[in-house]
Amino acid sequence: SSKDDTFIFAYGFPEETLKRTIRNLKLPIHWVHSPSEADMVLTTKAKMKSPAKLQTMLHSKQIPLHVLKDNTQAQLEKFFKQIFPDSV
């Protein structure tokens, strides 16, 4: 990993789908197990319907929170291509 790598905490996404998408797009992204290690948090609209657990995990950490429509590989690819246009 390098200083340009991005660390993402994904809440509500299957780990294998996330890893496969990152690998397929060859992105400088690492999936982490805790929001405290993350540069950004990724979740779904469904998880935002009861955000208390997510808010508890984030505490007062000031990092970007991105909410995707659902947790499919297509949604992840679309999001990553928008966030990292120079990498794909």
Side-chain angles (χ1 to χ4, degrees):
S1 78
S2 76
K3 64 178 177 50
D4 296 327
D5 289 1
T6 300
F7 296 86
I8 292 181
F9 175 73
Y11 180 60
F13 290 86
E15 182 177 347
E16 193 48 48
T17 301
L18 187 67
K19 288 180 174 180
R20 182 174 49 248
T21 305
I22 292 168
R23 193 171 49 244
N24 288 352
L25 296 176
K26 298 176 174 63
L27 295 171
I29 296 173
H30 300 278
W31 177 76
V32 294
H33 295 274
S34 165
S36 63
E37 306 169 65
D39 297 315
M40 74 172 67
V41 173
L42 203 52
T43 192
T44 63
K45 281 187 178 180
K47 291 292 183 185
M48 290 304 291
K49 288 181 180 168
S50 54
K53 185 173 182 182
L54 184 60
Q55 288 172 342
T56 301
M57 286 189 286
L58 291 176
H59 303 291
S60 60
K61 189 164 170 63
Q62 298 295 311
I63 58 174
L65 171 64
H66 298 277
V67 182
L68 275 58
K69 188 169 131 184
D70 56 44
N71 65 1
T72 63
Q73 185 167 346
Q75 281 287 304
L76 284 167
E77 286 179 4
K78 181 179 175 185
F79 169 75
F80 287 142
K81 287 175 181 178
Q82 289 172 340
I83 297 294
F84 303 99
D86 297 334
S87 297
V88 291

